[in-house]
Amino acid sequence: MTDNGAEIVHEDNWGLKKLAYPIQKKTTGYYHLTTFKAPGEFINKLEVEYRRDERIMRFLTVSLDKHALAFSEKKRSGAFNKNKETKTEEVAQ
């Protein structure tokens, strides 16, 4: 990805999960989430490579708006967990 002008923002390995329905007679799959910034023409190249790779059963590429990006950043930084800790402390006092 980085060789073609993309900037990787965050990677998250979800690991081996059970699929909602069998795909190519397989019931489990390895999930990986990659958040990246890239020019629009890069997406077509990436999806062609995903289609050619036999190891990839399914993929989903989505474009995030500014609100989704802000939410994602807060979630990664743990801001939501800090709010829960503060509320728990208030209740305990």
Side-chain angles (χ1 to χ4, degrees):
M1 292 177 129
T2 55
D3 293 341
N4 291 314
E7 174 191 347
I8 296 176
V9 177
H10 183 30
E11 288 186 277
D12 193 9
N13 292 321
W14 291 2
L16 190 66
K17 302 276 186 186
K18 185 176 184 209
L19 301 175
Y21 54 90
I23 301 174
Q24 300 172 359
K25 299 183 182 179
K26 294 176 177 58
T27 58
T28 58
Y30 187 78
Y31 285 72
H32 187 85
L33 174 68
T34 304
T35 306
F36 62 92
K37 293 180 183 178
E41 58 273 0
F42 171 72
I43 303 302
N44 289 334
K45 293 178 186 177
L46 179 68
E47 289 184 351
V48 166
E49 290 299 319
Y50 283 166
R51 285 187 194 98
R52 289 180 180 166
D53 194 338
E54 294 176 357
R55 298 171 296 172
I56 299 176
M57 294 189 294
R58 294 280 194 276
F59 65 90
L60 178 65
T61 307
V62 295
S63 175
L64 301 177
D65 63 2
K66 65 180 181 179
H67 302 293
L69 287 171
F71 176 81
S72 178
E73 183 62 36
K74 284 183 183 179
K75 188 175 178 182
R76 281 195 304 271
S77 68
F80 295 115
N81 294 336
K82 291 176 186 175
N83 289 340
K84 289 180 183 177
E85 290 173 5
T86 305
K87 289 179 182 178
T88 304
E89 290 174 7
E90 291 173 0
V91 172
Q93 294 176 354

